[in-house]
Amino acid sequence: MNLHEYQGKSILENYGVAIQKGIVANNSNDALEAAEKLTDLTGTKWFVIKAQIHAGGRGKGGGVKLAKSLKEVKEISESIIGMQLITPQTPSEGKKVNKILIAEDVYYPGNSEPKEFYVSILLNRSTGKNMIMYSTEGGMDIEMVAEKTPHLIFNEEIDSALGLLPFQARKVAFNLGLEGAAFKSMIKFITSLYRAYVGSDASLFEINPVLKTSDDKIIAVDAKVSIDDNSLFRHPDFKNLRDLAEENPVEVEASEAGLSYVDLDGNVGCMVNGAGLAMATMDLIKQSGGSPANFLDVGGTADAERVELAFRLILKDPKVKAILVNIFGGIVRCDRVAQGIIDAYKNMGDTIKVPIIVRLQGTNAEQAKILIQKSKLDVIAATAFEEAAIKVQEVLR
Ligand code: GDP
Ligand code: MN
């Protein structure tokens, strides 16, 4: 589950990580009120207005702007709320901005220049350890830094049993070239950031930029936070952080019905039971010259109701040119699944306009094939894996 910047920052703050303070708003009046509150809270007279969408690069797309007066807060808020924000990370049509964050300006002048760093924490899947990735080149595209100046990106791996050790936090602060008060602040920052990452069961924290202010404070100016969905049962308070407007509506509907559905870009819808079979089926589709339009796992009970819902979800995708149903009947008998498909098909009348290839294998597979053939529905039955592949190929031609 991805979070908005303001939500991520609030998790950080709960763990004692220093952040650029801000208040979220839905309209320009609330934005004004937020700005006045921030002045009371921090003394700031300048503000940054930041579009809250699930995509980075907002600054480049005009979604992050500095306001030097309350009048500008109002004007800028009005121009950002409701805009279709296009950044290098959004789809080409951009994303609609529904909320903005009014934040204190933290790039104020002082004894030293403000300096931007990059810090992220993520799981290194090849070593199975959490890793702090950091760089002196903050504020910009980290992908660019990785390409042009990879030696400026450092990694620090953390042993899960030991946690982040004090020398590791010092090493980060040292490699970032800090000294004095800023060095100490960075150690505190990294230590509490790591605690927040583990405590919230996150799979990604990306703080870009981490800012050293002109008075040597170290604070998170941006926060990209992803929480591991498998851990959400441990965090009931995170439940309302999900922003359904940011998610694929079909995936949302599927997950509410307990189906695993992942939208992909291909043209063959696939309905399967079990994730392993889903993987094999997607390979099969690729080999037969098509490409999967989705990953849909109906799970253990492939009854008429679930099959019908699965068909409806798949058919919402206009890219789908054929549907391959590939179900292994172990505990559920194939003839029951076949009956489910037939019933679902009949219920749906003429809403199904693409060919359906059904491959049922396992208990009572032959009876299932006969049932489907006898049903006189426009469904192509197969029992062997390859047979199904050839039939998909034929209908796509
Ligand atoms: P992103 O573009 O989506 O990554 O959004 P960020 O939150 O990282 O902000 C983009 C850029 O806006 C930062 O790199 C800063 O240069 C600038 N910015 C953010 N906060 C402030 C601020 O308080 N004052 C000023 N002057 N600039 C800011
Ligand atoms: Mn950023």
Side-chain angles (χ1 to χ4, degrees), residues 58 208-209 222:
R58 294 164 301 166
N208 187 24
D222 193 2

Side-chain angles (χ1 to χ4, degrees), residues 20 48 50 57-59 64 104-107 116 208-209 221-222:
Q20 172 192 43
V48 261
K50 312 179 82 178
R58 294 164 301 166
V64 178
E104 58 171 330
D105 168 38
V106 285
Y107 288 60
E116 295 178 322
N208 187 24
V221 168
D222 193 2

Side-chain angles (χ1 to χ4, degrees), residues 323-335:
I323 298 178
L324 171 60
V325 181
N326 191 7
I327 288 189
F328 178 78
I331 296 168
V332 282
R333 296 179 347 237
C334 290
D335 51 328

Side-chain angles (χ1 to χ4, degrees), residues 146-210:
E147 200 175 302
K148 300 248 159 78
T149 49
H151 60 284
L152 296 177
I153 299 181
F154 302 92
N155 292 323
E156 187 66 30
E157 285 216 337
I158 294 134
D159 187 301
S160 324
L162 299 174
L164 176 72
L165 295 171
F167 86 90
Q168 295 181 296
R170 285 199 296 275
K171 191 161 132 198
V172 173
F174 180 80
N175 283 336
L176 291 175
L178 297 168
E179 39 190 45
F183 183 87
K184 283 193 183 149
S185 303
M186 183 59 87
I187 291 171
K188 184 159 182 277
F189 183 88
I190 294 291
T191 308
S192 49
L193 191 71
Y194 188 74
R195 208 183 306 128
Y197 175 86
V198 173
S200 61
D201 286 315
S203 50
L204 174 70
F205 269 15
E206 187 179 49
I207 316 297
N208 187 24
V210 170

